[in-house]
Amino acid sequence: MQAIRVHRYGGPEVLTLERIPRPEPRADELLIRIIAAGVLPADCRVRNGFFRQVMPAVFPYIPGTAFAGVVERAGAAVAAFAPGQAVCGRSPNGTYAEFTTVRADAPPPAGGFTDYRQANANTLLIHKPETITFDEAATLSGGATTAWTALFEDGDVQPGQRVLIHGAAGGVGLFAVQFARWRGAEVIGTASTGNIEFVRSLGADTVIDYTTTPFDEAVREVDFVLDTIGGETLRRSMRILRPGGTLVSLVEEPPAALAEQLGVRAFKNATIPTSAHLRAIAQLIDAGHARPVVQQTFALDEAAAAHALCETGHGRGRIV
């Protein structure tokens, strides 16, 4: 099969198209013919060595975890999936390739994960939602699942609450806006000038143009903040929470001393998505309550260009 492989840390240029043996599924695995693979910011960070202290790469490796495709072959112990079925989810075995293998049922450990390495080995697998394309289905793992767990598992967002979502046009933010709106929250999003109407079309009640208006001058007393930016944006966001409010960051651990001083809860996204979360999202999508957005698609041999675009940190939706 054709696959992208990485032999050393570096920039997008280290993504190399190679021909390698097709993987063979074990008894409890499926062989998936990949139609589309999602490009996540984490893929770029693994490639450039950002995680080398907590999860050193084993070279060469195939990048990518998010995928949508078709079951090519099922192991002898697999009963829930059959060849020919359309599926999507997350594989720890690399998805920038024509095929990957994935466990049919691999729930996270009962006690939770203890480090990034264990979390990265997590598997998600569901039947593809019927109302979306393979390209769109490849955006669910790492985009929709992160938004879902941050809002409803970590944040326990409830109807009527005021919710602020930073980077509301991005791969996670666009799902967070739709999910919070579905839950019945008042949704406030931040976005650049060109994405204001797009975020409004997702269901945001208020959209703040962060290029012209400081968000902390436009909104106060919110119940929940989803931080996708970190740094000073995170700290300023903590100050606009009502007492007892919650901030969940996707990028860094918020300062505990400041949270205690302000009387708020603030922590990094801690819930690892499961296949059950992904099934709930699929049902929501097929019911018409949410929709994926693909920013741009690339061919497999254009993986370096896909990573270069991902690393700009700007755009609308997910790269595939």
Side-chain angles (χ1 to χ4, degrees), residues 42 46 51 54-55 90 113-121:
V46 172
F51 296 126
V54 293
M55 191 190 65
R90 183 189 195 284
F113 294 101
T114 59
D115 60 30
Y116 186 89
R117 187 195 307 272
Q118 290 181 353
N120 196 56

Side-chain angles (χ1 to χ4, degrees), residues 107-134:
F113 294 101
T114 59
D115 60 30
Y116 186 89
R117 187 195 307 272
Q118 290 181 353
N120 196 56
N122 191 35
T123 289
L124 304 178
L125 185 66
I126 65 167
H127 294 99
K128 184 182 77 68
E130 295 180 357
T131 58
I132 60 176
T133 66
F134 283 98

Side-chain angles (χ1 to χ4, degrees), residues 53-118:
Q53 297 302 320
V54 293
M55 191 190 65
V58 178
F59 299 111
Y61 73 88
I62 299 171
T65 58
F67 74 89
V70 175
V71 177
E72 185 82 1
R73 194 161 83 238
V78 177
F81 298 90
Q85 291 180 332
V87 294
C88 65
R90 183 189 195 284
S91 169
N93 299 321
T95 58
Y96 293 12
E98 292 182 297
F99 294 90
T100 193
T101 53
V102 62
R103 286 271 302 279
D105 183 18
F113 294 101
T114 59
D115 60 30
Y116 186 89
R117 187 195 307 272
Q118 290 181 353

Side-chain angles (χ1 to χ4, degrees), residues 235-251:
R235 288 181 282 275
R236 287 164 54 201
S237 296
M238 293 173 67
R239 296 185 180 278
I240 66 168
L241 285 167
R242 64 163 179 79
T246 301
L247 178 144
V248 174
S249 176
L250 304 184
V251 292

Side-chain angles (χ1 to χ4, degrees), residues 48-287:
N48 66 26
F50 181 86
F51 296 126
R52 72 175 74 193
Q53 297 302 320
V54 293
M55 191 190 65
V58 178
F59 299 111
Y61 73 88
I62 299 171
T65 58
F67 74 89
V70 175
V71 177
E72 185 82 1
R73 194 161 83 238
V78 177
F81 298 90
Q85 291 180 332
V87 294
C88 65
R90 183 189 195 284
S91 169
N93 299 321
T95 58
Y96 293 12
E98 292 182 297
F99 294 90
T100 193
T101 53
V102 62
R103 286 271 302 279
D105 183 18
F113 294 101
T114 59
D115 60 30
Y116 186 89
R117 187 195 307 272
Q118 290 181 353
N120 196 56
N122 191 35
T123 289
L124 304 178
L125 185 66
I126 65 167
H127 294 99
K128 184 182 77 68
E130 295 180 357
T131 58
I132 60 176
T133 66
F134 283 98
D135 286 359
E136 292 170 328
T139 73
L140 300 185
S141 174
T145 53
T146 300
W148 185 276
T149 56
L151 288 172
F152 303 136
E153 299 290 345
D154 296 328
D156 192 27
V157 168
Q158 296 296 316
Q161 290 187 329
R162 303 184 75 214
V163 172
L164 172 64
I165 297 164
H166 286 299
V172 175
L174 72 90
F175 283 110
V177 169
Q178 296 177 87
F179 295 162
R181 180 68 172 177
W182 165 77
R183 180 55 62 92
E186 177 189 344
V187 183
I188 306 157
T190 65
S192 61
T193 305
N195 284 324
I196 297 298
E197 290 306 317
F198 169 67
V199 173
R200 191 170 285 123
S201 75
L202 297 173
D205 298 282
T206 304
V207 187
I208 301 168
D209 184 343
Y210 66 77
T211 68
T212 61
T213 305
F215 69 89
D216 45 356
E217 293 181 9
V219 62
R220 307 288 297 181
E221 295 292 307
V222 300
D223 296 284
F224 176 87
V225 176
L226 179 62
D227 166 52
T228 62
I229 310 298
E232 191 59 30
T233 295
L234 184 159
R235 288 181 282 275
R236 287 164 54 201
S237 296
M238 293 173 67
R239 296 185 180 278
I240 66 168
L241 285 167
R242 64 163 179 79
T246 301
L247 178 144
V248 174
S249 176
L250 304 184
V251 292
E252 64 182 87
E253 199 68 50
L258 180 58
E260 183 177 1
Q261 173 191 334
L262 296 172
V264 301
R265 299 169 65 240
F267 48 90
K268 190 175 181 183
N269 176 222
T271 301
I272 303 300
T274 66
S275 294
H277 293 134
L278 193 54
R279 279 191 292 271
I281 291 165
Q283 291 170 1
L284 212 63
I285 288 171
D286 278 343

